[in-house]
Amino acid sequence: MIADNPRAVIGVATGSTMTGVYHALISAAVERSLDASGVSCFSLDEYIGVPEGDARLFRSVLEGHLVDDLGLRPDQLITPDPRLAAESPEAASVAYERALEAAGGVDLQLLGIGRNGHVAFNEPGAQADSLTRTVPLEARTREDAAETFGGLATTPEQAITVGIGTILRAKRLRLLAFGDVKAGIIARTLQGPVSEDVPATLLRAHPDLEFHLDAEASAEL
Ligand code: GLP
């Protein structure tokens, strides 16, 4: 991707699924001496209400992989602004959509999936044409994040996320899921009805969508 298009716009995701992807990307970049200085990376989402610079912010996690390890400049990583989102949700949402548009849109969007079928933080009920906005997090999503935040009481309740419509505008979508914990939701995503109840099913409308699964995540297909 970077070798073919040195000015590629890559949509990057967080979550444990992505850690191996970043390690592989960093090794490939070193082995092939790739010049990533023209690339832009846009993240999908961010927790609201977590102090700036906190290691648990998605911005911090991505900085670790992409700035510290891959060597991108901090300005090559563009993330939604959770502080502005807390003060003025509409302004933060519009600003992020504009930044994506100004970059010419996303060439390649990496995606994980939540156990309830969320992509980014588009929880069940998210609409196919939704754009960047602030959202409340579902109980199951907060439970999954609670360990990181030292308990449910201190786990964020809100996030700013790109919408399903934002994701569908990317030229290529690559959704990754590993492990048996994802088997049920992967079966529903690929073989169940297209429905807002399982937001990932809405991505099936995209002409260039690939699923990258391991044996465990594919077990119920
Ligand atoms: C969070 C992120 C999603 C991600 C999901 C799955 O909810 N907002 O973008 O897909 O976690 O995370 P994991 O890969 O750790 O299972």
Side-chain angles (χ1 to χ4, degrees), residues 26-115:
I26 290 153
S27 309
V30 171
E31 260 169 44
R32 297 166 60 191
S33 313
L34 286 180
D35 176 11
S37 60
V39 162
S40 310
C41 293
F42 281 80
S43 73
L44 288 168
D45 46 14
E46 188 58 277
Y47 292 115
I48 293 177
V50 179
E52 219 170 299
D54 189 296
R56 296 163 301 188
L57 282 171
F58 291 156
R59 166 100 208 167
S60 308
V61 174
L62 288 168
E63 273 180 354
H65 294 308
L66 300 174
V67 178
D68 301 346
D69 296 344
L70 185 60
L72 299 191
R73 299 179 313 274
D75 66 287
Q76 288 178 273
L77 173 63
I78 301 104
T79 55
D81 181 346
R83 214 171 43 160
L84 182 60
E87 287 162 13
S88 174
E90 184 59 26
S93 305
V94 169
Y96 204 59
E97 288 290 334
R98 285 209 181 125
L100 280 160
E101 210 181 297
V106 171
D107 295 306
L108 172 71
Q109 178 66 60
L110 299 173
L111 296 161
I113 185 168
R115 282 190 299 147

Side-chain angles (χ1 to χ4, degrees), residues 134-219:
T134 60
V135 290
L137 297 177
E138 262 213 349
R140 211 164 1 156
T141 303
R142 294 184 65 239
E143 279 160 24
D144 286 346
E147 202 184 322
T148 311
F149 285 98
L152 206 53
T154 42
T155 300
E157 291 179 359
Q158 271 196 308
I160 176 168
T161 182
V162 297
I164 297 288
T166 319
I167 293 171
L168 286 172
R169 285 181 189 159
K171 293 189 188 78
R172 289 188 256 169
L173 304 183
R174 301 291 180 263
L175 191 149
L176 286 71
F178 307 134
D180 52 10
V181 72
K182 300 288 171 71
I185 195 59
I186 283 298
R188 287 179 72 196
T189 298
L190 280 161
Q191 296 172 330
V194 171
S195 159
E196 288 166 6
D197 296 341
V198 183
T201 62
L202 303 173
L203 302 180
R204 281 162 43 190
H206 195 283
D208 192 348
L209 164 68
E210 282 178 11
F211 287 80
H212 293 260
L213 312 171
D214 65 2
E216 287 79 16
S218 322

